[in-house]
Amino acid sequence: MSDPLRLGVSELRQAYRRRALSPVEVTRAYLDRIAARNDHLHAYIEVYAESALAQARASEHRLASGLPAGLLEGVPLALKDLLHIEGRRTTAGSTVFAGREPSPLTSTVAARLMGAGAVVLGKANLVEFAYGGWGTNQGMRSPVNPWDGAVERCVGGSSSGSGVAVSAGLAAGAIGTDTGGSVRIPSAFCGLTGLKTTQGRVSNFGVDLVSHTLDTVGPMAWTAEDAALLLQAMHGPDPHDPATLAQPPEDFLSALHEGIAGLRISVAPAGILGAVEPAIAQAVDEAVRVLLSLGCLRRDEAFASIDFVADQAETGVIISSEAYAEHGHLLEGSPPPGDAAARARLLGGAAIGAPRYAAALRERQRRIRDFARVFEHTDLLVLPTLPVTARPLAAIDESDLAPSRLTRFVGYHGLAAIALPCGLSPEGLPLSLQLVAPAFHEARLLRAGVAFQSATAFHRARPSSF
């Protein structure tokens, strides 16, 4: 097999089963590529070469000896550096934590992935304290989008390094977190499939949170099938996270290929989206035609009750308040230099008083109940993931909230969503379609993603530098 690094999670699993590839040779190939390219791309904060090879050898032994193999046996992954692993430092993308003691615990997500046989290549870079949509990080070096070899472009945040790791061929899949779009935004900028899970679907135990009200953990990969495999391995009730206990485990794999005929879709009208680049609007229109050709039924009245700008602003109140409460004390005195933009956003939470924060939480609960009625008339909302394509890093305006304008409403209303590649711009930059479903309907999103990707080839595109 000429280039195993072009394979996704599902394809690697198939190659291992056929004995066409071995976990050790694949892991070595990834580590070699990381060594060659990470200094430019800044995808990883730390690489675990020795332990990754040890995990790969253990996987190879299980596969060769006929022992029971895990769901992700031998699959090399990158984990956002918010997820704790015992004996490893967790930086949360901040220079403040550069000298942090190794963690005494392992996050539930990391434990479940490794328990399923995954090989952890290392910890992925991110926006400082996971607070930003463009993906920049002055303190830890901003990850670079691999889709443009001439201009250094943004990756999107906050799971920036996770997006680069997969799209540049430095991992087969990655794990990110999504508060207001932090899985979907970098997935969209990088041509990946990214799943925003419902809070309570995946445990937050052992994860450094920016917002305990909104944070979720989700997979980033080339395909919806890959994302389903990652979700299957890491979801489920966890006594360490009470929010997960009300939702039983689910089978996300058995119905993946059943099709989507009869699903009702509501397409966002252009008038409520604000400014959207023409190439994105055209690509989403074409994606809608694909969904209709697959048997979906169009029901467009659902978007009448959505105010993207208001939802974005209210989400900001909650994130700022909780981020400041969690991390504000770390920036007192004379902290080491870091990312000025992320720190300004975080410190802005100091100006939000307790009455305003409490009112925001009450209003959110009311609006979640009201918004649930939208799905009485539709099964999926359809809209762009982003209104813009990846911009040059040198031209980023950190006060511009464009990356999260069409994503924040999902977390605010307690929903689930998936970002799917749906084309390339005239400049060769990825374009992305967003599908949104009710809470805990990740299976519906994954099935729709598989159906869409079975009818299109956008998920097979790779950067020219791959």
Side-chain angles (χ1 to χ4, degrees):
M1 204 166 287
S2 58
D3 189 358
L5 305 190
R6 297 183 69 91
L7 303 180
V9 175
S10 177
E11 293 167 320
L12 268 182
R13 292 177 72 248
Q14 294 170 19
Y16 290 156
R17 285 201 298 269
R18 297 195 309 270
R19 305 297 297 277
L21 289 172
S22 82
V24 172
E25 68 179 305
V26 170
T27 299
R28 284 198 177 117
Y30 274 113
L31 291 171
D32 288 346
R33 190 173 177 92
I34 292 168
R37 303 201 63 194
N38 193 59
D39 281 349
H40 172 65
L41 295 173
H42 310 155
Y44 286 91
I45 289 175
E46 193 169 4
V47 179
Y48 306 147
E50 186 176 336
S51 64
L53 285 170
Q55 290 171 335
R57 284 191 286 270
S59 287
E60 190 156 310
H61 172 71
R62 284 190 288 271
L63 290 166
S65 61
L67 294 171
L71 185 65
L72 301 174
E73 199 67 70
V75 175
L77 302 179
L79 305 187
K80 187 176 183 177
D81 198 15
L82 293 176
L83 279 70
H84 286 256
I85 296 177
E86 184 179 1
R88 301 291 188 181
R89 180 188 58 168
T90 301
T91 70
S94 179
T95 55
V96 172
F97 288 135
R100 197 177 193 180
E101 290 295 318
S103 180
L105 57 85
T106 295
S107 64
T108 298
V109 167
R112 287 178 174 175
L113 292 171
M114 290 187 288
V119 173
V120 177
L121 295 169
K123 293 282 198 74
N125 202 353
L126 64 150
V127 178
E128 188 167 25
F129 299 118
Y131 199 177
W134 288 109
T136 53
N137 188 330
Q138 297 170 348
M140 305 288 272
R141 303 187 304 176
S142 297
V144 177
N145 197 313
W147 284 86
D148 190 337
V151 178
E152 290 191 344
R153 293 182 181 270
C154 73
V155 177
S158 63
S159 306
S160 49
S162 297
V164 176
V166 180
S167 63
L170 310 183
I175 304 303
T177 63
D178 195 310
T179 309
S182 292
V183 160
R184 291 161 290 154
I185 294 169
S187 293
F189 277 136
C190 291
L192 304 177
T193 298
L195 181 68
K196 189 272 177 199
T197 59
T198 315
Q199 193 172 68
R201 174 65 80 188
V202 178
S203 174
N204 279 338
F205 174 75
V207 181
D208 281 355
L209 304 178
V210 66
S211 168
H212 64 264
T213 296
L214 299 170
D215 280 359
T216 59
V217 180
M220 302 167 67
W222 287 114
T223 69
E225 184 168 1
D226 293 351
L229 286 162
L230 294 172
L231 180 62
Q232 188 68 41
M234 67 185 184
H235 88 290
D238 175 17
H240 296 296
D241 182 354
T244 65
L245 299 181
Q247 201 66 25
E250 191 167 335
D251 179 1
F252 295 106
L253 303 178
S254 62
L256 265 182
H257 299 275
E258 288 187 356
I260 53 175
L263 277 187
R264 302 165 298 171
I265 62 172
S266 290
V267 183
I272 71 168
L273 293 174
V276 174
E277 290 182 14
I280 296 173
Q282 180 180 346
V284 171
D285 286 345
E286 292 173 358
V288 169
R289 286 193 281 274
V290 172
L291 293 172
L292 294 175
S293 75
L294 293 169
C296 289
L297 308 173
R298 189 160 178 169
R299 303 283 188 269
D300 283 352
E301 62 273 12
F303 279 90
S305 60
I306 298 178
D307 186 333
F308 294 108
V309 175
D311 290 349
Q312 185 182 40
E314 285 300 295
T315 301
V317 170
I318 296 170
I319 298 174
S320 292
S321 299
E322 296 181 353
Y324 179 76
E326 183 70 25
H327 299 300
H329 67 283
L330 299 171
L331 302 179
E332 295 174 354
S334 301
D339 190 83
R343 292 182 180 191
R345 286 187 286 269
L346 191 151
L347 291 172
I352 300 172
R356 177 69 179 93
Y357 171 62
L361 294 180
R362 286 197 302 272
E363 176 66 7
R364 176 176 182 256
Q365 291 304 314
R366 183 190 69 79
R367 295 194 64 195
I368 285 175
R369 291 192 295 271
D370 290 346
F371 197 91
R373 291 197 287 270
V374 165
F375 290 102
E376 294 174 1
H377 309 290
T378 192
D379 299 306
L380 293 174
L381 307 180
V382 183
L383 68 159
T385 307
L386 299 169
V388 296
T389 49
R391 291 180 177 166
L393 282 169
I396 296 297
D397 176 2
E398 293 285 357
S399 67
D400 183 352
L401 301 180
S404 65
R405 194 175 78 229
L406 304 180
T407 58
R408 275 191 175 181
F409 84 98
V410 175
Y412 182 73
H413 291 288
L415 310 173
I418 194 168
L420 300 167
C422 67
L424 297 174
S425 74
E427 298 78 24
L429 301 173
L431 310 175
S432 182
L433 171 74
Q434 183 176 199
L435 305 179
V436 182
F440 297 108
H441 280 71
E442 289 87 356
R444 181 185 299 172
L445 291 168
L446 292 164
R447 183 160 50 93
V450 167
F452 180 75
Q453 290 174 342
S454 71
T456 60
F458 306 120
H459 58 288
R460 299 197 177 279
R462 299 291 187 270
S464 59
S465 61
F466 205 95

